[in-house]
Amino acid sequence: MKKILVLGSCGQIGTELVLTLREKFGNQQVVAADLRDVCPDNLANGPYIKLDALDRESVRTYIIGEQITEVYLLAALLSATAEKNPDFAWRLNMEGLFTILDLAKEGHIQKIFWPSSIAVFGPTTPRVNTPQYTVMEPSTVYGISKQAGERWCEYYFNKFGVDVRSIRYPGLISYKSLPGGGTTDYAVDIFYKAKAGEQFNCFLKEDSALPMMFMDDAIRATIELMEAPKEQVKIRSSYNLSAISFTPKQLAEAIKVEIPSFDIVYNPDFRQAIADSWPASIDDSEARANWNWKERYDLNKMVKIMLENVDLSLLKN
Ligand code: NAD
Ligand code: AKB
């Protein structure tokens, strides 16, 4: 029987991933783990453990002792936060991965999910419809760590048969928890201001196009990839995945259809350079061909759902 550990479970992806995995496989089969002492209310329908991804011995003891079969490793520093603390970002983003890859190599874990990002691409990558295989010269510490992680995942698969699966997520948009320090966070923050009836001060330029995805699509893609028969998972570095691409101006216009008084101003900061180094859109034909990926949410559908559901009280926690 499956016993799943989601390490880094209290963040933007983990919160929704844990709940969806529990619906699918049973509450007791999915353990949420993060740095917090106490389980947050929204994950209280199943087991929670305080676990530091950097504490190799504790992670090993827990996974071996509890006979965990699958690990989703989400603990990381995202692009904007990582630029402020590059040494720690490199350490966090790499060491936890080796701990989990080694456990799988030793036969303690059957399957791993490790997320990569569009940040693996860089300023010399073709920006439009970025192919799966192309020039990759990331210019952020976050992107360098994700690219290195991809190489190690593929290496552990080829050399040791480790069943590791990965997606290069675009910017993810959701309302159940707040984003954790990325360059694409503006596309979530904007909804809180729109709903509060306040002006939004955007940290990217109005014409800065980036690949994005509604969280429901991202969670479904993650579980579809993890449940796909092994032979269909032909890429063991990480899959390009796409759904929507838009600029801040296009997003603001879609919000104005729902809230005509919505107002936005643009004051680009250090995150603009990060966005400029990333693709504007992604070619994900390999994911579509290998495991039948297809998105369900477009810009307008996503905007309507976000405006209906963003909860301003989340900002107070
Ligand atoms: P997040 O920052 O919202 O959540 C990360 C979680 O990890 C937090 O709850 C944090 O407390 C926890 N964590 C940090 N250090 C830890 C440690 N040492 N031990 C245990 N837990 C620790 O991030 P997210 O948006 O949920 O992203 C999860 C993963 O997906 C990351 O690897 C990120 O790079 C990747 N990703 C996210 C996006 C996105 O748009 N959200 C896009 C591309 C890739
Ligand atoms: C970030 O902006 O850092 C993340 C990502 C695209 O990896 N959302």
Side-chain angles (χ1 to χ4, degrees):
M1 191 189 281
K2 270 186 203 294
K3 185 118 191 243
I4 299 172
L5 178 71
V6 180
L7 186 47
S9 61
C10 297
Q12 193 194 5
I13 299 175
T15 305
E16 301 207 28
L17 183 62
V18 166
L19 296 174
T20 310
L21 288 169
R22 283 180 180 164
E23 268 169 33
K24 198 169 166 60
F25 300 114
N27 290 1
Q28 295 310 313
Q29 304 315 117
V30 182
V31 182
D34 207 293
L35 292 175
R36 297 188 198 184
D37 290 325
V38 180
C39 177
D41 290 347
N42 49 10
L43 297 182
N45 65 348
Y48 174 83
I49 173 186
K50 180 181 177 183
L51 197 57
D52 182 350
L54 287 173
D55 182 349
R56 187 174 166 94
E57 276 321 302
S58 297
V59 172
R60 285 185 63 85
T61 304
Y62 185 80
I63 286 176
I64 296 170
E66 294 299 316
Q67 298 182 314
I68 296 294
T69 59
E70 292 179 18
V71 176
Y72 291 73
L73 175 59
L74 305 181
L77 283 200
L78 276 73
S79 57
T81 319
E83 285 309 298
K84 293 180 182 159
N85 198 348
D87 294 353
F88 179 69
W90 174 255
R91 199 173 147 235
L92 176 61
N93 294 6
M94 301 309 300
E95 280 184 20
L97 176 60
F98 281 116
T99 300
I100 302 301
L101 287 172
D102 286 337
L103 280 161
K105 174 184 158 187
E106 293 162 25
H108 299 296
I109 303 170
Q110 289 161 22
K111 232 189 267 183
I112 300 169
F113 179 79
W114 175 81
S116 186
S117 161
I118 53 165
V120 291
F121 300 113
T124 52
T125 301
R127 286 201 75 228
V128 177
N129 231 6
T130 301
Q132 175 73 39
Y133 301 105
T134 184
V135 179
M136 291 166 84
E137 296 184 314
S139 52
T140 62
V141 65
Y142 177 66
I144 295 169
S145 72
K146 290 296 184 188
Q147 193 195 31
E150 286 191 8
R151 298 287 86 227
W152 280 111
C153 287
E154 192 185 80
Y155 184 86
Y156 270 66
F157 172 75
N158 286 334
K159 199 96 179 168
F160 311 117
V162 167
D163 189 354
V164 54
R165 304 172 183 210
S166 177
I167 286 172
R168 291 172 181 154
Y169 289 131
L172 301 181
I173 298 170
S174 66
Y175 58 83
K176 291 190 187 156
S177 58
L178 297 170
T183 303
T184 58
D185 290 13
Y186 91 84
V188 178
D189 301 342
I190 193 170
F191 289 100
Y192 289 85
K193 291 292 181 188
K195 191 136 180 187
E198 292 173 20
Q199 184 185 66
F200 180 60
N201 185 5
C202 185
F203 59 72
L204 295 184
K205 289 190 293 191
E206 64 175 24
D207 60 351
S208 206
L210 287 169
M212 301 277 186
M213 182 178 287
F214 187 52
M215 187 62 87
D216 288 31
D217 270 343
I219 299 292
R220 186 172 51 80
T222 305
I223 296 175
E224 282 176 6
L225 173 62
M226 284 296 273
E227 291 304 302
K230 214 171 174 176
E231 60 280 4
Q232 282 182 23
V233 185
K234 298 190 190 304
I235 292 175
R236 295 298 182 147
S237 51
S238 191
Y239 276 96
N240 274 10
L241 199 73
S242 99
I244 336 168
S245 286
F246 54 77
T247 64
K249 188 170 180 207
Q250 287 166 331
L251 178 57
E253 273 160 12
I255 291 174
K256 275 188 199 170
V257 172
E258 307 296 322
I259 305 177
S261 60
F262 176 63
D263 185 27
I264 182 167
V265 291
Y266 301 93
N267 285 300
D269 66 14
F270 73 99
R271 289 167 281 196
Q272 184 62 53
I274 301 177
D276 288 344
S277 75
W278 289 354
S281 58
I282 295 283
D283 174 358
D284 63 355
S285 39
E286 309 268 348
R288 288 172 198 264
N290 291 177
W291 43 277
N292 304 318
W293 158 247
K294 186 163 176 25
E295 78 283 2
R296 290 185 185 157
Y297 293 86
D298 63 16
L299 177 59
N300 293 332
K301 193 169 168 189
M302 188 264 299
V303 164
K304 278 201 178 75
I305 296 174
M306 285 297 289
L307 287 173
E308 274 162 25
N309 290 286
V310 282
D311 174 5
L312 296 177
S313 71
L314 270 188
L315 299 174
K316 292 185 195 120
N317 297 333

